[in-house]
């Protein structure tokens, strides 16, 4: 059995990838593992967010003991991703749904937030014109993307979809089966055929409806938010 002190000292020095593996090992040790995660997270305050901090947050959130609850409320009341917006949009709701791993409701709220970014006519229409996407602020798209990635161990988010899309030569017909939006000739049916947990393939969420064609997702995946990361 790995010594707890050894695990927690490793957490400080290891790469993000190894930190991700250490976190479940610490969780297995119970109370003392949570302690180490809290100490480590405190020392990370002010650091740029990464997937390991996100995973530690998720572990403490799910532990849901009086101590972990109090710790998160005191130190990370808004979660680990700074909820920054250039359009004064409130991402608290999205953060909370993702922290709870309610990916289905988070997906609905993501569509709403994109409409909010596009303005009042899109909010009434409840879907986007592709021409509205280019005016989305980089800041807001990055906030939404970080929220998805950090609460999914890097599995979900637009930038994850973009990487896969680039890997298939920007060919949407090749992207769909990779992210399970299509199986052979059959579109995956909304909402019940989609996978609303972490057993989904990389890039499965968030969804964008293809009923009106690929131009909206094409505009999202081409947005400068991703090239500046
Ligand atoms: N739906 O099939 N989708 C809806 C997806 C298509 C359709 C919403 C994604 C194909 C209809 C979301 C896929 C298609 C509605 C998604 C998918 C189709 C609807 C709710 C795989 C038929 C009712 C938000 C690509 C062949 C609403 C919204 C309406 C809804 C997502 C049908 C998130 C990723 C081509 C009839 N589908 N959608 O946008 O507008 O309404 O009538 O993509």
């Amino acid at each position: 059995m790995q010594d707890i002190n050894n695990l927690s000292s490793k957490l400080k020095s290891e790469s993000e990838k190894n930190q991700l593996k250490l976190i479940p090992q610490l969780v297995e040790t119970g109370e003392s593992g949570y302690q180490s995660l809290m100490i480590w997270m405190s020392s990370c305050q002010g650091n740029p967010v990464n997937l390991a901090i996100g995973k530690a947050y998720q572990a403490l959130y799910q532990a849901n003991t009086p101590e972990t609850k109090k710790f998160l409320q005191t130190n990370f009341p808004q979660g680990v991703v700074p909820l920054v917006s250039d359009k004064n949009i409130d991402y608290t709701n999205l953060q909370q749904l993702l922290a709870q791993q309610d990916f289905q409701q988070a997906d609905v709220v993501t569509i709403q937030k994109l409409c909010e970014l596009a303005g009042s006519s899109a909010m009434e229409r409840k879907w986007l014109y592709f021409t509205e996407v280019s005016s989305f602020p980089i800041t807001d798209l990055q906030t939404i993307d970080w929220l998805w990635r950090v609460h999914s161990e890097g599995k979900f988010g637009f930038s994850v979809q973009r990487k896969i899309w680039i890997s298939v030569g920007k060919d949407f017909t090749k992207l769909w089966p990779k992210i399970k939006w299509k199986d052979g000739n059959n579109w995956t049916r909304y909402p019940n055929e989609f996978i609303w947990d972490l057993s989904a393939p990389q890039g499965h969420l968030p969804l964008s409806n293809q009923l009106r064609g690929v131009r909206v997702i094409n505009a999202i995946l081409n947005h400068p938010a991703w090239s500046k990361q």
Side-chain angles (χ1 to χ4, degrees), residues 107-108 111 126-127 176 179-182 186-191 194 196 204 206-213:
D107 186 65
V108 171
I111 296 168
K126 296 185 167 49
W127 49 275
W176 308 144
I179 62 175
K180 284 208 182 161
W181 286 10
K182 206 169 182 178
N186 303 313
W187 293 103
T188 304
R189 294 234 193 117
Y190 184 82
F194 288 93
W196 302 105
H204 190 62
L207 301 183
S208 33
N209 193 358
Q210 298 308 309
L211 196 58
R212 297 175 193 89

Side-chain angles (χ1 to χ4, degrees), residues 130-190:
F130 76 98
T131 47
E132 290 163 333
V133 175
S134 56
S135 67
F136 288 177
I138 289 175
T139 307
D140 287 67
L141 282 183
Q142 289 184 343
T143 297
I144 295 170
D145 187 55
W146 263 118
L147 282 169
W148 275 97
R149 276 159 64 201
V150 150
H151 294 292
S152 66
E153 297 175 31
K155 181 164 260 183
F156 300 144
F158 296 123
S159 66
V160 180
Q161 292 170 342
R162 175 183 152 93
K163 278 200 188 118
I164 302 169
W165 172 69
I166 289 172
S167 80
V168 295
K170 302 192 174 180
D171 182 341
F172 284 104
T173 61
K174 290 185 183 149
L175 177 66
W176 308 144
K178 277 231 173 223
I179 62 175
K180 284 208 182 161
W181 286 10
K182 206 169 182 178
D183 180 12
N185 283 325
N186 303 313
W187 293 103
T188 304
R189 294 234 193 117
Y190 184 82

Side-chain angles (χ1 to χ4, degrees), residues 45-112:
Q45 262 174 335
N47 290 10
V49 64
N50 64 33
L51 294 183
I53 298 172
K55 183 152 177 155
Y57 175 90
Q58 240 9 106
L60 295 175
Y61 192 97
Q62 271 151 28
N64 201 26
T65 71
E67 290 92 312
T68 62
K69 249 176 142 166
K70 180 145 189 276
F71 173 82
L72 293 182
Q73 271 161 16
T74 309
N75 296 283
F76 298 92
Q78 298 241 74
V80 289
V81 176
L83 302 182
V84 286
S85 169
D86 280 354
K87 294 221 172 181
N88 227 353
I89 289 177
D90 185 4
Y91 293 108
T92 310
N93 187 12
L94 182 59
Q95 191 278 328
Q96 286 172 353
L97 290 165
L98 288 168
Q100 290 155 26
Q101 311 276 280
D102 185 347
F103 293 115
Q104 186 165 355
Q105 197 51 35
D107 186 65
V108 171
V109 170
T110 298
I111 296 168
Q112 286 167 359

